[in-house]
Amino acid sequence: MFKIAYKRDQKYHFSPLRYPGGKTCLFPFLGNVIKENKLESVTYVEPFAGGAGAALALLYLEKVDRIVINDFDKAIYSFWKSAIFDSERFIKKIFNVPVNVNEWRKQKAININDVSSCFDLGFSTFYLNRTNISGVLDARPIGGLNQKGKWKIDARFNKVTLAERVRQLSEYKNRITVLNEDGLKLIDDYLNRKNVFMYLDPPYFDKGATLYLNHYQVDDHEALAKKLNENPESFWVLTYDDKPEIKSLYLKRRTVDFSLAYNVREARKGKEIMIMSDILSIKKHG
Ligand SMILES: C[S@@+](CC[C@H](N)C(=O)[O-])C[C@H]1O[C@@H](n2cnc3c(N)ncnc32)[C@H](O)[C@@H]1O
């Protein structure tokens, strides 16, 4: 069993989004793998980016040259697009928006409206992610609709900290690509390019609560495996929940069990597996 040791350190928490089970904690390990494999001027690609915590840490700590943040969920994509490329407006809105249940209802309506602009959809995604229980987009606000809970709706909405995270994103905008493609397409587009390292964290095989877009079916997991298995000589690392169905898709690849050194409360308790391409040289430490 790989133990990936990592202290839950706010210092490395760069993403403005909260992501239950997010993989920020893997960044030291991924950074070491990139270094060990002597990849230069690396483009680090996450086809299933979500909160993109590991990607941002690798970029800000200068472990990679560029990052590609892709998510098929339009709401998540719109957040990244607006926060990174329309950051001044985004920051103004963070400071001006009220954080209360009334506003929450407005943002919720924007979020489920198909015709919302990219900026409005992106901001509402951020707003709900910061004000909802566990950051889950279709959950209730922290403290409940009556605000009777111990924690209130603004418990995770520190405006100064969040504005600073968005400002930092905008500083790096020339080194970030944001896309809204299906993960498989992204693999086709990027995996065989020179100096690309891909980290894939697809929706879990076992669907838990609806934490994020999760239409991934058995067929999709199989199609992903087919594509990755066809590319054993490219640089990729994949993580999944530890299920025999998944292991059986990657019998020819190296697979290791790993556990994160802290408890992920919400979604991804317990053991996970990491599968890697044949070409990768990997030491057994984080
Ligand atoms: C397990 S989460 C990734 C979490 C991320 N590693 C983090 O640290 O925050 C999976 C992500 O894949 C996205 N997704 C679901 N289906 C997808 C697809 N077909 N192509 C690309 N992204 C997809 C979801 O919206 C979700 O954000």
Side-chain angles (χ1 to χ4, degrees):
M1 159 96 70
F2 250 43
K3 253 225 158 20
I4 300 194
Y6 173 70
K7 282 194 193 129
R8 199 192 259 279
D9 193 338
Q10 280 303 314
K11 191 164 80 180
Y12 299 117
H13 210 96
F14 301 115
S15 177
L17 292 183
R18 303 157 65 209
Y19 239 77
K23 289 299 197 293
T24 304
C25 49
L26 282 185
F27 86 82
F29 171 80
L30 294 169
N32 283 344
V33 173
I34 289 166
K35 193 170 165 203
E36 199 186 329
N37 285 273
K38 301 193 169 46
L39 291 164
E40 276 168 27
S41 310
V42 182
T43 299
Y44 170 92
V45 181
E46 282 205 25
F48 305 90
L56 293 180
L58 289 167
L59 182 66
Y60 293 173
L61 298 173
E62 295 297 338
K63 307 290 180 198
V64 298
D65 258 33
R66 298 190 56 80
I67 60 172
V68 177
I69 295 176
N70 179 72
D71 204 289
F72 202 36
D73 187 333
K74 199 173 150 212
I76 302 293
Y77 159 79
S78 300
F79 161 74
W80 288 115
K81 192 85 184 162
S82 314
I84 297 173
F85 301 106
D86 204 351
S87 56
E88 263 182 50
R89 187 175 165 205
F90 207 97
I91 289 169
K92 259 192 206 141
K93 184 111 189 173
I94 290 178
F95 282 117
N96 291 337
V97 78
V99 186
N100 56 36
V101 172
N102 220 1
E103 181 65 28
W104 181 88
R105 289 187 198 280
K106 285 186 201 162
Q107 295 294 337
K108 179 94 192 154
I110 293 171
N111 203 255
I112 54 182
N113 186 342
D114 269 358
V115 294
S116 296
S117 69
C118 178
F119 183 88
D120 289 343
L121 178 58
F123 189 83
S124 68
T125 301
F126 165 79
Y127 190 93
L128 296 177
N129 175 269
R130 298 304 317 183
T131 55
N132 281 359
I133 295 164
S134 298
V136 176
L137 286 186
D138 56 7
R140 291 279 157 129
I142 301 168
L145 287 171
N146 298 322
Q147 290 294 283
K148 294 253 164 67
K150 180 178 168 204
W151 302 101
K152 306 296 180 213
I153 192 166
D154 61 355
R156 301 288 181 148
F157 211 104
N158 182 325
K159 293 190 172 198
V160 174
T161 307
L162 293 173
E164 175 52 25
R165 287 188 193 167
V166 173
R167 190 201 57 73
Q168 195 172 10
L169 272 177
S170 73
E171 265 184 21
Y172 284 82
K173 68 177 174 209
N174 295 332
R175 295 168 64 186
I176 306 177
T177 302
V178 177
L179 296 169
N180 185 211
E181 305 283 1
D182 181 83
L184 291 187
K185 171 147 191 327
L186 213 78
I187 296 173
D188 281 340
D189 289 352
Y190 278 91
L191 195 55
N192 286 317
R193 293 192 195 179
K194 211 164 164 248
N195 289 328
V196 160
F197 179 90
M198 198 171 269
Y199 168 54
L200 307 105
D201 187 27
Y204 265 20
F205 186 77
D206 249 2
K207 294 185 184 44
T210 47
L211 298 175
Y212 39 72
L213 176 75
N214 194 351
H215 303 310
Y216 241 57
Q217 303 296 333
V218 173
D219 286 1
D220 299 303
H221 293 290
E222 286 174 357
L224 176 62
K226 182 168 183 291
K227 206 154 275 287
L228 291 175
N229 281 323
E230 283 166 2
N231 289 283
E233 301 301 317
S234 304
F235 294 91
W236 56 262
V237 167
L238 167 73
T239 50
Y240 254 117
D241 44 345
D242 182 13
K243 293 284 147 205
E245 294 87 340
I246 294 298
K247 277 188 169 155
S248 73
L249 294 175
Y250 293 92
L251 290 175
K252 292 193 176 150
R253 305 279 85 77
R254 271 174 302 167
T255 301
V256 290
D257 296 338
F258 77 101
S259 72
L260 301 174
Y262 65 84
N263 281 332
V264 175
R265 198 164 34 92
E266 298 91 348
R268 297 189 158 196
K269 272 192 199 135
K271 248 182 4 162
E272 307 201 19
I273 54 172
M274 184 178 283
I275 302 153
M276 53 206 95
S277 62
D278 299 359
I279 200 171
L280 270 188
S281 153
I282 255 176
K283 281 190 198 138
K284 287 212 166 191
H285 63 72

PDB file of all heavy atoms in Angstrom, residues 184-209:
ATOM      1  N   LEU A 184     -12.644  12.055 -22.754  1.00  0.00           N
ATOM      2  CA  LEU A 184     -12.023  11.192 -23.773  1.00  0.00           C
ATOM      3  C   LEU A 184     -11.457  12.013 -24.925  1.00  0.00           C
ATOM      4  O   LEU A 184     -10.400  11.705 -25.479  1.00  0.00           O
ATOM      5  CB  LEU A 184     -13.039  10.189 -24.323  1.00  0.00           C
ATOM      6  CG  LEU A 184     -13.517   9.098 -23.381  1.00  0.00           C
ATOM      7  CD1 LEU A 184     -14.380   8.092 -24.124  1.00  0.00           C
ATOM      8  CD2 LEU A 184     -12.351   8.380 -22.712  1.00  0.00           C
ATOM      9  N   LYS A 185     -12.159  13.066 -25.263  1.00  0.00           N
ATOM     10  CA  LYS A 185     -11.684  13.915 -26.352  1.00  0.00           C
ATOM     11  C   LYS A 185     -10.364  14.592 -25.959  1.00  0.00           C
ATOM     12  O   LYS A 185      -9.437  14.727 -26.751  1.00  0.00           O
ATOM     13  CB  LYS A 185     -12.754  14.957 -26.700  1.00  0.00           C
ATOM     14  CG  LYS A 185     -12.255  16.009 -27.661  1.00  0.00           C
ATOM     15  CD  LYS A 185     -13.301  16.522 -28.602  1.00  0.00           C
ATOM     16  CE  LYS A 185     -12.776  17.373 -29.732  1.00  0.00           C
ATOM     17  NZ  LYS A 185     -11.623  18.196 -29.478  1.00  0.00           N
ATOM     18  N   LEU A 186     -10.324  14.980 -24.707  1.00  0.00           N
ATOM     19  CA  LEU A 186      -9.106  15.650 -24.234  1.00  0.00           C
ATOM     20  C   LEU A 186      -7.894  14.713 -24.303  1.00  0.00           C
ATOM     21  O   LEU A 186      -6.784  15.131 -24.621  1.00  0.00           O
ATOM     22  CB  LEU A 186      -9.306  16.139 -22.802  1.00  0.00           C
ATOM     23  CG  LEU A 186      -8.526  17.417 -22.586  1.00  0.00           C
ATOM     24  CD1 LEU A 186      -9.266  18.570 -23.202  1.00  0.00           C
ATOM     25  CD2 LEU A 186      -8.259  17.645 -21.136  1.00  0.00           C
ATOM     26  N   ILE A 187      -8.153  13.462 -23.983  1.00  0.00           N
ATOM     27  CA  ILE A 187      -7.068  12.482 -24.060  1.00  0.00           C
ATOM     28  C   ILE A 187      -6.576  12.403 -25.507  1.00  0.00           C
ATOM     29  O   ILE A 187      -5.373  12.445 -25.782  1.00  0.00           O
ATOM     30  CB  ILE A 187      -7.549  11.102 -23.553  1.00  0.00           C
ATOM     31  CG1 ILE A 187      -7.923  11.212 -22.069  1.00  0.00           C
ATOM     32  CG2 ILE A 187      -6.477  10.042 -23.763  1.00  0.00           C
ATOM     33  CD1 ILE A 187      -8.575   9.981 -21.496  1.00  0.00           C
ATOM     34  N   ASP A 188      -7.517  12.323 -26.444  1.00  0.00           N
ATOM     35  CA  ASP A 188      -7.134  12.286 -27.862  1.00  0.00           C
ATOM     36  C   ASP A 188      -6.323  13.522 -28.238  1.00  0.00           C
ATOM     37  O   ASP A 188      -5.341  13.442 -28.952  1.00  0.00           O
ATOM     38  CB  ASP A 188      -8.390  12.267 -28.757  1.00  0.00           C
ATOM     39  CG  ASP A 188      -9.001  10.891 -28.812  1.00  0.00           C
ATOM     40  OD1 ASP A 188      -8.289   9.914 -28.496  1.00  0.00           O
ATOM     41  OD2 ASP A 188     -10.199  10.792 -29.157  1.00  0.00           O
ATOM     42  N   ASP A 189      -6.753  14.657 -27.739  1.00  0.00           N
ATOM     43  CA  ASP A 189      -6.103  15.909 -28.142  1.00  0.00           C
ATOM     44  C   ASP A 189      -4.721  16.092 -27.534  1.00  0.00           C
ATOM     45  O   ASP A 189      -3.857  16.721 -28.132  1.00  0.00           O
ATOM     46  CB  ASP A 189      -6.964  17.124 -27.732  1.00  0.00           C
ATOM     47  CG  ASP A 189      -8.213  17.228 -28.587  1.00  0.00           C
ATOM     48  OD1 ASP A 189      -8.312  16.466 -29.569  1.00  0.00           O
ATOM     49  OD2 ASP A 189      -9.089  18.056 -28.256  1.00  0.00           O
ATOM     50  N   TYR A 190      -4.526  15.604 -26.313  1.00  0.00           N
ATOM     51  CA  TYR A 190      -3.291  15.974 -25.602  1.00  0.00           C
ATOM     52  C   TYR A 190      -2.315  14.838 -25.318  1.00  0.00           C
ATOM     53  O   TYR A 190      -1.118  15.079 -25.188  1.00  0.00           O
ATOM     54  CB  TYR A 190      -3.644  16.633 -24.255  1.00  0.00           C
ATOM     55  CG  TYR A 190      -3.980  18.090 -24.376  1.00  0.00           C
ATOM     56  CD1 TYR A 190      -5.285  18.501 -24.572  1.00  0.00           C
ATOM     57  CD2 TYR A 190      -2.983  19.069 -24.300  1.00  0.00           C
ATOM     58  CE1 TYR A 190      -5.605  19.843 -24.686  1.00  0.00           C
ATOM     59  CE2 TYR A 190      -3.291  20.414 -24.414  1.00  0.00           C
ATOM     60  CZ  TYR A 190      -4.604  20.796 -24.607  1.00  0.00           C
ATOM     61  OH  TYR A 190      -4.912  22.125 -24.728  1.00  0.00           O
ATOM     62  N   LEU A 191      -2.806  13.621 -25.160  1.00  0.00           N
ATOM     63  CA  LEU A 191      -1.948  12.608 -24.537  1.00  0.00           C
ATOM     64  C   LEU A 191      -0.666  12.323 -25.312  1.00  0.00           C
ATOM     65  O   LEU A 191       0.370  12.033 -24.720  1.00  0.00           O
ATOM     66  CB  LEU A 191      -2.737  11.307 -24.297  1.00  0.00           C
ATOM     67  CG  LEU A 191      -2.066  10.334 -23.343  1.00  0.00           C
ATOM     68  CD1 LEU A 191      -1.755  10.986 -22.001  1.00  0.00           C
ATOM     69  CD2 LEU A 191      -2.938   9.112 -23.115  1.00  0.00           C
ATOM     70  N   ASN A 192      -0.733  12.443 -26.622  1.00  0.00           N
ATOM     71  CA  ASN A 192       0.473  12.113 -27.380  1.00  0.00           C
ATOM     72  C   ASN A 192       1.332  13.312 -27.732  1.00  0.00           C
ATOM     73  O   ASN A 192       2.279  13.195 -28.501  1.00  0.00           O
ATOM     74  CB  ASN A 192       0.109  11.298 -28.624  1.00  0.00           C
ATOM     75  CG  ASN A 192      -0.256   9.885 -28.178  1.00  0.00           C
ATOM     76  OD1 ASN A 192       0.429   9.303 -27.331  1.00  0.00           O
ATOM     77  ND2 ASN A 192      -1.367   9.365 -28.678  1.00  0.00           N
ATOM     78  N   ARG A 193       1.007  14.446 -27.139  1.00  0.00           N
ATOM     79  CA  ARG A 193       1.876  15.614 -27.384  1.00  0.00           C
ATOM     80  C   ARG A 193       3.141  15.472 -26.568  1.00  0.00           C
ATOM     81  O   ARG A 193       3.169  14.788 -25.534  1.00  0.00           O
ATOM     82  CB  ARG A 193       1.173  16.908 -26.968  1.00  0.00           C
ATOM     83  CG  ARG A 193      -0.019  17.214 -27.831  1.00  0.00           C
ATOM     84  CD  ARG A 193      -0.471  18.632 -27.568  1.00  0.00           C
ATOM     85  NE  ARG A 193      -1.809  18.842 -28.099  1.00  0.00           N
ATOM     86  CZ  ARG A 193      -2.465  19.993 -27.998  1.00  0.00           C
ATOM     87  NH1 ARG A 193      -1.924  21.012 -27.386  1.00  0.00           N
ATOM     88  NH2 ARG A 193      -3.671  20.109 -28.519  1.00  0.00           N
ATOM     89  N   LYS A 194       4.177  16.182 -27.016  1.00  0.00           N
ATOM     90  CA  LYS A 194       5.448  16.128 -26.313  1.00  0.00           C
ATOM     91  C   LYS A 194       5.329  16.825 -24.944  1.00  0.00           C
ATOM     92  O   LYS A 194       4.624  17.826 -24.816  1.00  0.00           O
ATOM     93  CB  LYS A 194       6.479  16.892 -27.155  1.00  0.00           C
ATOM     94  CG  LYS A 194       7.861  16.348 -27.020  1.00  0.00           C
ATOM     95  CD  LYS A 194       8.765  16.867 -28.136  1.00  0.00           C
ATOM     96  CE  LYS A 194      10.192  16.617 -27.707  1.00  0.00           C
ATOM     97  NZ  LYS A 194      10.916  17.836 -27.434  1.00  0.00           N
ATOM     98  N   ASN A 195       5.995  16.286 -23.952  1.00  0.00           N
ATOM     99  CA  ASN A 195       6.048  16.900 -22.620  1.00  0.00           C
ATOM    100  C   ASN A 195       4.688  17.149 -21.968  1.00  0.00           C
ATOM    101  O   ASN A 195       4.482  18.174 -21.306  1.00  0.00           O
ATOM    102  CB  ASN A 195       6.860  18.199 -22.658  1.00  0.00           C
ATOM    103  CG  ASN A 195       8.325  17.894 -22.857  1.00  0.00           C
ATOM    104  OD1 ASN A 195       8.820  16.855 -22.406  1.00  0.00           O
ATOM    105  ND2 ASN A 195       9.028  18.778 -23.545  1.00  0.00           N
ATOM    106  N   VAL A 196       3.787  16.233 -22.213  1.00  0.00           N
ATOM    107  CA  VAL A 196       2.484  16.297 -21.531  1.00  0.00           C
ATOM    108  C   VAL A 196       2.454  15.260 -20.420  1.00  0.00           C
ATOM    109  O   VAL A 196       2.858  14.111 -20.608  1.00  0.00           O
ATOM    110  CB  VAL A 196       1.322  16.056 -22.520  1.00  0.00           C
ATOM    111  CG1 VAL A 196       0.054  15.636 -21.791  1.00  0.00           C
ATOM    112  CG2 VAL A 196       1.055  17.321 -23.323  1.00  0.00           C
ATOM    113  N   PHE A 197       1.996  15.691 -19.263  1.00  0.00           N
ATOM    114  CA  PHE A 197       1.743  14.761 -18.161  1.00  0.00           C
ATOM    115  C   PHE A 197       0.263  14.885 -17.824  1.00  0.00           C
ATOM    116  O   PHE A 197      -0.243  15.993 -17.592  1.00  0.00           O
ATOM    117  CB  PHE A 197       2.598  15.131 -16.939  1.00  0.00           C
ATOM    118  CG  PHE A 197       2.361  14.215 -15.770  1.00  0.00           C
ATOM    119  CD1 PHE A 197       3.112  13.057 -15.606  1.00  0.00           C
ATOM    120  CD2 PHE A 197       1.372  14.494 -14.835  1.00  0.00           C
ATOM    121  CE1 PHE A 197       2.887  12.200 -14.533  1.00  0.00           C
ATOM    122  CE2 PHE A 197       1.139  13.638 -13.758  1.00  0.00           C
ATOM    123  CZ  PHE A 197       1.909  12.492 -13.612  1.00  0.00           C
ATOM    124  N   MET A 198      -0.415  13.741 -17.781  1.00  0.00           N
ATOM    125  CA  MET A 198      -1.855  13.787 -17.553  1.00  0.00           C
ATOM    126  C   MET A 198      -2.200  13.114 -16.230  1.00  0.00           C
ATOM    127  O   MET A 198      -1.746  12.002 -15.959  1.00  0.00           O
ATOM    128  CB  MET A 198      -2.547  13.065 -18.710  1.00  0.00           C
ATOM    129  CG  MET A 198      -3.994  13.384 -18.834  1.00  0.00           C
ATOM    130  SD  MET A 198      -4.719  12.708 -20.358  1.00  0.00           S
ATOM    131  CE  MET A 198      -4.501  14.042 -21.512  1.00  0.00           C
ATOM    132  N   TYR A 199      -2.971  13.816 -15.422  1.00  0.00           N
ATOM    133  CA  TYR A 199      -3.508  13.192 -14.203  1.00  0.00           C
ATOM    134  C   TYR A 199      -5.021  13.111 -14.358  1.00  0.00           C
ATOM    135  O   TYR A 199      -5.694  14.127 -14.565  1.00  0.00           O
ATOM    136  CB  TYR A 199      -3.133  14.005 -12.949  1.00  0.00           C
ATOM    137  CG  TYR A 199      -3.931  13.531 -11.749  1.00  0.00           C
ATOM    138  CD1 TYR A 199      -3.927  12.183 -11.392  1.00  0.00           C
ATOM    139  CD2 TYR A 199      -4.730  14.403 -11.018  1.00  0.00           C
ATOM    140  CE1 TYR A 199      -4.703  11.717 -10.334  1.00  0.00           C
ATOM    141  CE2 TYR A 199      -5.498  13.951  -9.960  1.00  0.00           C
ATOM    142  CZ  TYR A 199      -5.481  12.607  -9.628  1.00  0.00           C
ATOM    143  OH  TYR A 199      -6.260  12.146  -8.600  1.00  0.00           O
ATOM    144  N   LEU A 200      -5.540  11.892 -14.234  1.00  0.00           N
ATOM    145  CA  LEU A 200      -6.981  11.688 -14.450  1.00  0.00           C
ATOM    146  C   LEU A 200      -7.651  11.235 -13.158  1.00  0.00           C
ATOM    147  O   LEU A 200      -7.220  10.262 -12.531  1.00  0.00           O
ATOM    148  CB  LEU A 200      -7.220  10.619 -15.527  1.00  0.00           C
ATOM    149  CG  LEU A 200      -6.497  10.854 -16.867  1.00  0.00           C
ATOM    150  CD1 LEU A 200      -5.303   9.915 -16.994  1.00  0.00           C
ATOM    151  CD2 LEU A 200      -7.434  10.654 -18.036  1.00  0.00           C
ATOM    152  N   ASP A 201      -8.690  11.947 -12.786  1.00  0.00           N
ATOM    153  CA  ASP A 201      -9.467  11.613 -11.588  1.00  0.00           C
ATOM    154  C   ASP A 201     -10.942  11.592 -11.988  1.00  0.00           C
ATOM    155  O   ASP A 201     -11.715  12.496 -11.650  1.00  0.00           O
ATOM    156  CB  ASP A 201      -9.207  12.683 -10.518  1.00  0.00           C
ATOM    157  CG  ASP A 201      -9.845  12.321  -9.183  1.00  0.00           C
ATOM    158  OD1 ASP A 201     -10.026  11.116  -8.910  1.00  0.00           O
ATOM    159  OD2 ASP A 201     -10.153  13.249  -8.410  1.00  0.00           O
ATOM    160  N   PRO A 202     -11.340  10.551 -12.736  1.00  0.00           N
ATOM    161  CA  PRO A 202     -12.708  10.524 -13.277  1.00  0.00           C
ATOM    162  C   PRO A 202     -13.746  10.298 -12.181  1.00  0.00           C
ATOM    163  O   PRO A 202     -13.394   9.948 -11.051  1.00  0.00           O
ATOM    164  CB  PRO A 202     -12.671   9.328 -14.240  1.00  0.00           C
ATOM    165  CG  PRO A 202     -11.579   8.458 -13.742  1.00  0.00           C
ATOM    166  CD  PRO A 202     -10.567   9.351 -13.082  1.00  0.00           C
ATOM    167  N   PRO A 203     -15.028  10.460 -12.519  1.00  0.00           N
ATOM    168  CA  PRO A 203     -16.060  10.150 -11.533  1.00  0.00           C
ATOM    169  C   PRO A 203     -15.875   8.734 -11.029  1.00  0.00           C
ATOM    170  O   PRO A 203     -15.482   7.835 -11.782  1.00  0.00           O
ATOM    171  CB  PRO A 203     -17.357  10.266 -12.350  1.00  0.00           C
ATOM    172  CG  PRO A 203     -17.018  11.210 -13.454  1.00  0.00           C
ATOM    173  CD  PRO A 203     -15.585  10.943 -13.791  1.00  0.00           C
ATOM    174  N   TYR A 204     -16.160   8.542  -9.767  1.00  0.00           N
ATOM    175  CA  TYR A 204     -15.983   7.232  -9.155  1.00  0.00           C
ATOM    176  C   TYR A 204     -16.887   6.181  -9.785  1.00  0.00           C
ATOM    177  O   TYR A 204     -17.947   6.496 -10.305  1.00  0.00           O
ATOM    178  CB  TYR A 204     -16.301   7.338  -7.661  1.00  0.00           C
ATOM    179  CG  TYR A 204     -15.084   7.548  -6.819  1.00  0.00           C
ATOM    180  CD1 TYR A 204     -13.905   8.033  -7.378  1.00  0.00           C
ATOM    181  CD2 TYR A 204     -15.097   7.245  -5.461  1.00  0.00           C
ATOM    182  CE1 TYR A 204     -12.780   8.199  -6.601  1.00  0.00           C
ATOM    183  CE2 TYR A 204     -13.979   7.418  -4.680  1.00  0.00           C
ATOM    184  CZ  TYR A 204     -12.817   7.889  -5.252  1.00  0.00           C
ATOM    185  OH  TYR A 204     -11.715   8.048  -4.496  1.00  0.00           O
ATOM    186  N   PHE A 205     -16.445   4.941  -9.699  1.00  0.00           N
ATOM    187  CA  PHE A 205     -17.257   3.815 -10.178  1.00  0.00           C
ATOM    188  C   PHE A 205     -18.506   3.694  -9.310  1.00  0.00           C
ATOM    189  O   PHE A 205     -19.611   3.556  -9.807  1.00  0.00           O
ATOM    190  CB  PHE A 205     -16.429   2.532 -10.121  1.00  0.00           C
ATOM    191  CG  PHE A 205     -17.132   1.363 -10.728  1.00  0.00           C
ATOM    192  CD1 PHE A 205     -17.211   1.226 -12.113  1.00  0.00           C
ATOM    193  CD2 PHE A 205     -17.745   0.397  -9.938  1.00  0.00           C
ATOM    194  CE1 PHE A 205     -17.878   0.147 -12.689  1.00  0.00           C
ATOM    195  CE2 PHE A 205     -18.415  -0.678 -10.506  1.00  0.00           C
ATOM    196  CZ  PHE A 205     -18.480  -0.800 -11.883  1.00  0.00           C
ATOM    197  N   ASP A 206     -18.293   3.763  -8.005  1.00  0.00           N
ATOM    198  CA  ASP A 206     -19.415   3.741  -7.070  1.00  0.00           C
ATOM    199  C   ASP A 206     -19.950   5.147  -6.936  1.00  0.00           C
ATOM    200  O   ASP A 206     -19.277   6.006  -6.392  1.00  0.00           O
ATOM    201  CB  ASP A 206     -18.898   3.325  -5.677  1.00  0.00           C
ATOM    202  CG  ASP A 206     -19.406   1.967  -5.293  1.00  0.00           C
ATOM    203  OD1 ASP A 206     -20.117   1.357  -6.104  1.00  0.00           O
ATOM    204  OD2 ASP A 206     -19.078   1.520  -4.170  1.00  0.00           O
ATOM    205  N   LYS A 207     -21.135   5.345  -7.417  1.00  0.00           N
ATOM    206  CA  LYS A 207     -21.669   6.702  -7.300  1.00  0.00           C
ATOM    207  C   LYS A 207     -22.120   6.932  -5.860  1.00  0.00           C
ATOM    208  O   LYS A 207     -22.918   6.190  -5.328  1.00  0.00           O
ATOM    209  CB  LYS A 207     -22.873   6.884  -8.202  1.00  0.00           C
ATOM    210  CG  LYS A 207     -22.547   6.813  -9.656  1.00  0.00           C
ATOM    211  CD  LYS A 207     -23.821   7.127 -10.431  1.00  0.00           C
ATOM    212  CE  LYS A 207     -23.654   7.006 -11.935  1.00  0.00           C
ATOM    213  NZ  LYS A 207     -22.944   5.854 -12.419  1.00  0.00           N
ATOM    214  N   GLY A 208     -21.599   7.941  -5.248  1.00  0.00           N
ATOM    215  CA  GLY A 208     -22.065   8.287  -3.915  1.00  0.00           C
ATOM    216  C   GLY A 208     -23.176   9.317  -4.063  1.00  0.00           C
ATOM    217  O   GLY A 208     -23.984   9.248  -4.994  1.00  0.00           O
ATOM    218  N   ALA A 209     -23.198  10.265  -3.164  1.00  0.00           N
ATOM    219  CA  ALA A 209     -24.125  11.393  -3.315  1.00  0.00           C
ATOM    220  C   ALA A 209     -23.729  12.109  -4.604  1.00  0.00           C
ATOM    221  O   ALA A 209     -22.618  11.957  -5.096  1.00  0.00           O
ATOM    222  CB  ALA A 209     -23.962  12.315  -2.123  1.00  0.00           C
TER     223      ALA A 209
END
